[in-house]
Amino acid sequence: QKEVEQNSGPLSVPEGAIASLNCTYSDRGSQSFFWYRQYSGKSPELIMSIYSNGDKEDGRFTAQLNKASQYVSLLIRDSQPSDSATYLCAVTGSNQFYFGTGTSLTVIP
Amino acid sequence: NAGVTQTPKFQVLKTGQSMTLQCAQDMNHNSMYWYRQDPGMGLRLIYYSASEGTTDKGEVPNGYNVSRLNKREFSLRLESAAPSQTSVYFCASSESGNLAGYTFGSGTRLTVV
């Protein structure tokens, strides 16, 4: 079983809609959770971090964490074509982060 | 503020050749990492350095060596390149502990023929 699982997609949403990205993880001891955005041919860019159960909002982005169910999600409200990218979920282990394989999101104008 | 700088950006090697990928960060981060990214495999940790003077193996260390030259610099060496090492390599850095995310370099696209 992989440490971090994500649906690879592709996920397509129309412009202005809410995009929902999900991630599950296996290590119950994980303390920190991150979402990265990666445009094609570019490096991953940190967009959200969350450490406690519940929701964390930053602009159009909301991260949700449920440690009991071992999942973390990212909601993107009012999706824009510029949000089209691959979104990577990362979860902390003992000395490193474990990354999911990413979900490809396309926002259709 | 440059962040994390990787060189080179592109490289083509012949099987058996050696090369060193360079990485430097100017954020005074203690921890540095080398990842490779392959289609369908995601980011996989090759080696990391939790602090200056220490290095540890990650998930896929075979065929690689690293040097933490000082707090700023962390290099990755391929002693005898193989086609299986064709990949995109990312260097990253972070503050100590697990509460801070990574800052990634721009990547090195390596092809071994």
Side-chain angles (χ1 to χ4, degrees):
Chain A
Q1 181 186 2
K2 291 184 179 179
E3 299 283 346
V4 180
E5 300 266 10
Q6 290 183 258
N7 186 330
S8 62
L11 174 66
S12 294
V13 299
E15 183 174 355
I18 295 175
S20 178
L21 307 166
N22 299 309
C23 170
T24 59
Y25 61 95
S26 61
D27 185 355
R28 285 192 172 275
S30 296
Q31 296 294 316
S32 306
F33 308 85
F34 304 88
W35 283 99
Y36 289 81
R37 177 176 62 201
Q38 186 174 25
Y39 293 114
S40 180
K42 301 296 185 181
S43 59
E45 171 193 13
L46 180 65
I47 56 172
M48 287 289 289
S49 59
I50 186 167
Y51 311 108
S52 303
N53 281 328
D55 295 359
K56 179 182 178 182
E57 186 174 317
D58 183 0
R60 296 186 295 110
F61 298 97
T62 299
Q64 299 174 318
L65 175 61
N66 184 323
K67 290 186 178 180
S69 300
Q70 294 177 250
Y71 84 78
V72 58
S73 63
L74 180 70
L75 302 178
I76 306 175
R77 292 183 301 281
D78 188 23
S79 294
Q80 301 296 309
S82 59
D83 295 326
S84 298
T86 297
Y87 289 81
L88 305 174
C89 172
V91 174
T92 53
S94 56
N95 283 305
Q96 60 172 292
F97 293 175
Y98 294 100
F99 286 84
T101 55
T103 298
S104 175
L105 172 67
T106 299
V107 180
I108 303 168
Chain B
N1 192 336
V4 179
T5 303
Q6 281 184 244
T7 55
K9 293 190 182 303
F10 301 94
Q11 184 72 49
V12 178
L13 290 179
K14 294 182 179 179
T15 298
Q17 288 185 319
S18 63
M19 77 162 296
T20 300
L21 281 64
Q22 306 287 352
C23 176
Q25 52 93 7
D26 61 4
M27 296 172 288
N28 202 36
H29 285 169
N30 285 312
S31 302
M32 298 186 73
Y33 310 82
W34 277 104
Y35 281 87
R36 60 179 289 174
Q37 187 174 38
D38 303 289
M41 302 293 291
L43 284 160
R44 292 183 293 168
L45 184 64
I46 304 171
Y47 272 93
Y48 66 97
S49 171
S51 61
E52 184 179 358
T54 68
T55 60
D56 286 285
K57 295 178 180 179
E59 181 183 356
V60 289
N62 291 344
Y64 305 95
N65 285 300
V66 290
S67 296
R68 183 74 183 265
L69 304 172
N70 47 56
K71 190 171 185 178
R72 292 186 63 249
E73 298 173 287
F74 188 39
S75 63
L76 177 72
R77 183 161 178 83
L78 286 70
E79 291 291 352
S80 180
S84 60
Q85 294 178 304
T86 294
S87 186
V88 179
Y89 291 85
F90 289 105
C91 178
S93 71
S94 71
E95 296 178 7
S96 296
N98 285 333
L99 296 182
Y102 288 175
T103 300
F104 283 89
S106 58
T108 297
R109 188 172 295 274
L110 175 67
T111 301
V112 183
V113 297

